[in-house]
Amino acid sequence: MRFRTFSRLLTLVPLAFGIAPVGPVLGAAAERGVRHRIDVMVSAEPDAPVLARLKGARGELSFTVRLSANSKESKFFGMLRPSFPDIVVPDGPGTPLVQQTKLWEEDVCHQRRGLPKVTVTQLGGHFAEGEGRIEISAINRHIGVLVPPDELTPGIKLDQGSDSFGLFYAFRAQSRNSRLNVDLKIYPIDCFL
């Protein structure tokens, strides 16, 4: 008796699975992906020479960012070279030298595969003219080369947060002598593949 009941159950199990739909269900939600936006902001530390001696002076800054953002759907590797030609040194440390500005944004939605790799590799510029002029030339340290006078330390991780654009992950590059900060905010923007 037990054997007969057990064998009937075994024949019902494949029938039950056979009734279930095979393949994708019509009307199922599309797979969620992501695309990234990177913004930049430049500020000065409270003890920066620019803030101490040149309040109200004009200047310019430019820097180089190495960016690698690769996925199956989208591939980008290159150097971004933004420049800001007309900067006015603020009266205090609370105001940035360069307001938050979009640096780069992906056009294509792709699978989630981590954040793009971004590194600020050099920072240059000057403030004021004449005798009080301050030149800025900060670069990364390289193996086999003397440490630069104004070393640029990239990849300082800041706390994540959110603002009007959404959730962001933040990284800072800071110059040792000129005491300037280049902050990069990476926004992961949800989208559908």
Side-chain angles (χ1 to χ4, degrees):
M1 186 75 167
R2 282 189 207 165
F3 181 72
R4 203 177 301 162
T5 307
F6 184 71
S7 65
R8 285 182 186 161
L9 284 175
L10 285 178
T11 57
L12 289 176
V13 169
L15 288 174
F17 285 113
I19 296 171
V22 178
V25 177
L26 295 176
E31 187 178 346
R32 291 184 69 180
V34 68
R35 61 187 183 84
H36 293 99
R37 170 184 166 141
I38 300 174
D39 284 13
V40 65
M41 183 175 69
V42 181
S43 61
E45 290 289 312
D47 60 346
V50 170
L51 290 180
R53 299 186 301 204
L54 299 176
K55 293 178 181 166
R58 294 195 173 276
E60 62 181 41
L61 284 174
S62 61
F63 50 93
T64 303
V65 177
R66 184 176 54 231
L67 173 62
S68 175
N70 295 304
S71 68
K72 188 171 77 172
E73 298 85 0
S74 167
K75 294 189 184 311
F76 181 89
F77 177 81
M79 305 299 255
L80 306 174
R81 292 182 172 84
S83 62
F84 302 93
D86 194 26
I87 298 173
V88 177
V89 178
D91 291 335
T95 307
L97 294 168
V98 175
Q99 298 293 328
Q100 185 170 332
T101 306
K102 181 169 81 169
L103 181 62
W104 178 83
E105 186 171 2
E106 288 178 308
D107 296 328
V108 178
C109 185
H110 55 79
Q111 293 177 350
R112 294 181 180 276
R113 44 104 181 107
L115 296 176
K117 309 293 185 273
V118 289
T119 306
V120 180
T121 59
Q122 65 185 108
L123 171 66
H126 70 272
F127 288 94
E129 297 298 333
E131 242 179 75
R133 181 178 170 119
I134 292 179
E135 289 286 335
I136 296 166
S137 180
I139 59 171
N140 292 4
R141 181 185 296 198
H142 293 285
I143 295 173
V145 179
L146 293 174
V147 175
D150 194 7
E151 181 183 0
L152 185 64
T153 305
I156 302 168
K157 187 175 180 184
L158 304 175
D159 292 335
Q160 74 179 38
S162 63
D163 57 19
S164 60
F165 296 114
L167 172 75
F168 65 82
Y169 300 93
F171 299 91
R172 171 173 286 175
Q174 186 176 66
S175 58
R176 180 185 295 179
N177 292 340
S178 53
R179 308 291 293 151
L180 298 181
N181 301 318
V182 179
D183 293 345
L184 299 171
K185 290 183 174 181
I186 304 174
Y187 294 91
I189 302 166
D190 290 332
C191 54
F192 292 102
L193 293 172

